[in-house]
Amino acid sequence: MQHHKKSAKQAVIENYAALVRRVTPKSKVGQGCLRSFWVGGAICVLGQAIADFGINYLGLTASSASTFASMSLVFITALLTGIGIFDRIARYAGAGTVVPISGFANAMVSPAMEFKPEGWVLGTGARMFTIAGPVLVYGIASSVIVGILYYFIQW
Amino acid sequence: MLLYLKVFLVGGLFCAIGELLILKTKLTAARILVVYITAGVLLSALGLYGPVVRFASAGATVPLTGFGHALAQGAISGVQENGLLGAFTGGISATAGGIAAAVFFGFLAAICFKPRPKDF
Amino acid sequence: MPQHRQGKQTIIFQNAPSIISSAAVVGPKEGRGPHGNGFDLVLDDPLFQQESYEQAEHTIFQEACTRCIEKTGMQKEAVQAMLGGDLLNQIMAASLSARELSIPFLGLYGACSTMAESLLLGSILVDGGYASPVICAAGSHFCTAERQYRFPLEYGNQRTPAAQWTVTGAGACLLAENTKGIAHITSATIGRVVDLGIRDPNNMGAAMAPAAADTLIAHFKDTNTAPKDYDKIITGDLGLVGSGILKELMDKNHLSLFEQKYMDCGLCIFDPADDVHAGGSGCGCSASLLSAYILPQLSSGKWKKVLFMATGALLSTTTSQQGETIPGVAHAVILEGG
């Protein structure tokens, strides 16, 4: 009896989920991917251009040029976020702005601005990492694991 | 010029895959960032990401997988230079520029700007 | 059976309390909408000359209450009770307004169902002879809801097609003992909390629609009425997805004529040219449109009897992150002209 009752409730929930799926408008997958593709590609091209500029005109090594490009993209993102343009681009581009380093920078800059009314320490200082913190946690932790494994097995 | 085409195509592809993941799975943008960086670390450690970087340069280093690649390669070369200690210092040293820039410019933006409502 | 009760969930007000005044204050985007002329004040700036959006939300709430009372020529000291709430954590916009107005205050939380909840409870106070006049109010703010429930304003994310846009605005109504007013509240149905397993906080219409259907069916059954007995059946903020689902659920229950009588505040508060995806949401949505559009239709005699039902999705970011499903609730009040 108890079992029967439970499955009846489950059936109601499943039927409702099907109704919701039918009524909810679908995302435009093709359009979304195309926009992400060209904006994301363009951001990478900009990164390459900055790196080449660093190598050719600033005398940077290839690896410093790559760091220089990342930092420049972070700076551009911070500026565009500050003047309220980045979210407009992101609304159009979706993952095109999320996946490049610009997405990481925006994830730090936007809460830093947003939570200023809560104070410089617990607002801006602490909340800066609400979205970007997990990226650092999982990125750094997994790199440490890789380093330790490499120490022992040196593949 | 060919390099720039490769940068565009590979970088674009990373982003299009990200969009597909956002639209087709329950992953939010914040989770995509975590997935990408961890995937970058993993692929780099397995030696699969290096060739992509050599092929497409910024097309592979600008997406967050490239951030993961830099972390992993930093940890590996850290171990080569400093032993076990390098496993801890290598990753962050290699990516310090990007992280410090994000912290510093984020703080600067908080000083200079105010968030405004989305009026679109 | 208590004497003022009818059926399982419905209350009949013997003395039919009157709404004697109402006011609504909204943001610029709402002001651009089809009912923009009906609002008492449309702000140019969602910050309302304040330091933070939370302060702005509180000021909007307070302004709606103040204007609602002023319209009657009464002093705020004459108001005997204030019932209201908003979407801020610990309903701070309502609490701060109550601090400034210093009217005896009962804070309410019903998410976006708060306007109907406050009218329902306010009517009980007035009808029972416990207080009169009573002010009932609800409000919300896009910018505070975003930072509390979603992301920072400048964070670049895409909204899903089912996502709704929180209304910046507040509405207030002053209730008094039966007199010649804008409208009377003749009965009300208290909603049950219904949850059909929706987990997606970006699809609140789907989370609330079953509760809306539940309350509507209970009301029709308790009062032995049908959609044909109402000039309009109005929901708060089901939006595109939620109202689509509600129509299907009503169809399944053989409630004919429902679709012709049906209107959703969330679907008609914004200009369709403003890309708001599935429509408006938030306590301020039904609260401000009640004052700007629904009550004027009743006072002009265009509508005689209206079922006003605000719907709320009872979620918090904590329970949502813990994987809890989103319960919905809906309360209905019956408004009759004159």
Side-chain angles (χ1 to χ4, degrees):
Chain A
M1 184 64 206
Q2 191 62 35
H3 179 77
H4 179 74
K5 222 174 165 181
K6 200 177 172 189
S7 65
K9 197 181 172 200
Q10 200 56 43
V12 170
I13 285 177
E14 277 162 21
N15 282 340
Y16 186 63
L19 170 60
V20 171
R21 269 197 302 278
R22 186 153 51 78
V23 174
T24 305
K26 303 277 176 291
S27 302
K28 293 173 187 148
V29 176
Q31 187 196 56
C33 289
L34 198 68
R35 287 174 172 186
S36 299
F37 181 81
W38 88 256
V39 176
I43 293 173
C44 294
V45 166
L46 179 63
Q48 184 67 45
I50 294 168
D52 286 347
F53 176 83
I55 291 171
N56 296 333
Y57 297 95
L58 304 176
L60 298 177
T61 63
S63 87
S64 329
S66 175
T67 304
F68 175 64
S70 296
M71 290 168 64
S72 306
L73 289 176
V74 167
F75 171 75
I76 294 168
T77 304
L79 188 68
L80 292 177
T81 303
I83 59 177
I85 290 176
F86 189 87
D87 58 338
R88 287 160 192 268
I89 303 172
R91 183 168 176 261
Y92 172 86
T97 50
V98 170
V99 167
I101 188 115
S102 52
F104 175 72
N106 173 251
M108 287 187 76
V109 177
S110 59
M113 290 164 61
E114 179 73 39
F115 294 99
K116 193 162 49 162
E118 279 87 326
W120 289 107
V121 175
L122 292 177
T124 294
R127 303 294 281 272
M128 195 183 255
F129 294 94
T130 43
I131 313 166
V135 178
L136 295 176
V137 169
Y138 288 99
I140 292 170
S142 54
S143 81
V144 171
I145 293 171
V146 166
I148 293 172
L149 288 176
Y150 185 79
Y151 178 77
F152 287 109
I153 34 185
Q154 306 257 331
W155 56 85
Chain B
M1 222 36 231
L2 182 67
L3 174 66
Y4 277 75
L5 186 67
K6 288 194 278 190
V7 169
F8 180 75
L9 292 178
V10 172
L13 193 64
F14 274 112
C15 297
I17 293 169
E19 181 73 9
L20 205 60
L21 287 172
I22 293 175
L23 296 179
K24 286 284 174 192
T25 66
K26 296 265 172 217
L27 292 174
T28 57
R31 283 164 202 270
I32 291 290
L33 294 181
V34 171
V35 168
Y36 263 63
I37 196 157
T38 316
V41 171
L42 204 68
L43 292 173
S44 177
L46 295 174
L48 299 173
Y49 205 79
V52 187
V53 173
R54 278 191 293 282
F55 175 74
S57 196
T61 56
V62 169
L64 266 195
T65 37
F67 197 46
H69 169 68
L71 278 168
Q73 291 309 312
I76 288 172
S77 54
V79 170
Q80 285 163 349
E81 285 159 29
N82 301 314
L84 200 51
L85 189 68
F88 289 84
T89 57
I92 302 185
S93 310
T95 52
I99 297 173
V103 170
F104 179 73
F105 293 131
F107 191 72
L108 209 60
I111 293 173
C112 302
F113 304 109
K114 241 188 168 139
R116 62 206 77 204
K118 296 176 191 248
D119 52 2
F120 43 73
Chain C
M1 190 89 156
Q3 77 188 97
H4 301 318
R5 195 145 176 106
Q6 189 170 326
K8 264 176 74 185
Q9 288 167 250
T10 303
I11 304 164
I12 306 295
F13 299 116
Q14 307 298 320
N15 309 311
S18 299
I19 297 177
I20 56 168
S21 168
S22 76
V25 178
V26 297
K29 199 178 179 110
E30 293 72 17
R32 281 202 301 273
H35 303 297
N37 295 329
F39 301 112
D40 296 81
L41 176 65
V42 176
L43 309 172
D44 311 322
D45 167 23
L47 200 49
F48 206 2
Q49 290 105 42
Q50 303 295 311
E51 290 292 310
S52 71
Y53 290 116
E54 282 74 12
Q55 281 178 16
E57 182 171 355
H58 143 222
T59 315
I60 290 168
F61 193 103
Q62 191 180 324
E63 188 68 26
C65 294
T66 309
R67 284 180 181 242
C68 179
I69 299 166
E70 275 173 359
K71 278 185 186 176
T72 63
M74 255 181 244
Q75 296 295 310
K76 65 180 169 63
E77 288 73 19
V79 181
Q80 296 186 333
M82 173 174 170
L83 289 88
D86 55 86
L87 294 181
L88 284 183
N89 281 338
Q90 287 77 41
I91 55 165
M92 282 313 291
S95 303
L96 292 171
S97 303
R99 178 185 73 187
E100 302 305 314
L101 296 167
S102 90
I103 299 169
F105 172 62
L106 293 166
L108 306 178
Y109 185 80
C112 309
S113 71
T114 306
M115 194 61 214
E117 185 182 5
S118 70
L119 287 174
L120 188 156
L121 290 168
S123 300
I124 293 174
L125 288 182
V126 173
D127 197 55
Y130 299 107
S132 174
V134 171
I135 189 157
C136 303
S140 53
H141 197 300
F142 173 77
C143 299
T144 61
E146 283 298 301
R147 76 206 300 252
Q148 181 176 311
Y149 290 103
R150 295 171 200 101
F151 292 111
L153 292 172
E154 301 295 348
Y155 180 65
N157 70 318
Q158 275 180 325
R159 305 169 73 80
T160 61
Q164 290 174 255
W165 190 280
T166 308
V167 164
T168 300
C173 289
L174 197 62
L175 301 185
E177 285 161 322
N178 192 319
T179 166
K180 183 98 188 78
I182 301 168
H184 295 289
I185 300 180
T186 51
S187 65
T189 300
I190 305 173
R192 299 191 290 184
V193 173
V194 181
D195 187 336
L196 287 187
I198 297 296
R199 282 198 165 77
D200 180 6
N202 290 315
N203 196 351
M204 301 226 263
M208 298 186 291
D214 190 71
T215 303
L216 276 180
I217 291 164
H219 179 81
F220 293 140
K221 197 165 168 236
D222 289 351
T223 58
N224 203 15
T225 56
K228 68 171 168 47
D229 300 314
Y230 301 86
D231 292 309
K232 216 74 188 168
I233 298 166
I234 302 164
T235 54
D237 57 353
L238 290 181
L240 191 66
V241 177
S243 52
I245 294 170
L246 181 63
K247 283 181 205 160
E248 293 220 4
L249 294 175
M250 289 292 110
D251 241 22
K252 271 189 198 154
N253 284 279
H254 312 293
L255 287 161
S256 53
L257 273 176
F258 177 76
E259 210 165 327
Q260 288 93 312
K261 306 276 180 170
Y262 178 57
M263 161 188 151
D264 181 61
C265 297
L267 280 179
C268 58
I269 192 160
F270 290 116
D271 184 346
D274 272 324
D275 185 11
V276 290
H277 295 225
S281 67
C283 310
C285 181
S286 55
S288 62
L289 219 59
L290 176 67
S291 170
Y293 178 63
I294 300 165
L295 290 177
Q297 303 299 312
L298 284 159
S299 75
S300 74
K302 194 174 164 224
W303 296 342
K304 301 264 185 298
K305 188 179 182 184
V306 161
L307 187 155
F308 173 75
M309 179 171 68
T311 48
L314 304 170
L315 84 164
S316 84
T317 47
T318 308
T319 57
S320 208
Q321 280 170 3
Q322 290 174 356
E324 185 61 80
T325 53
I326 305 172
V329 72
H331 305 293
V333 291
I334 304 304
L335 307 170
E336 294 190 39

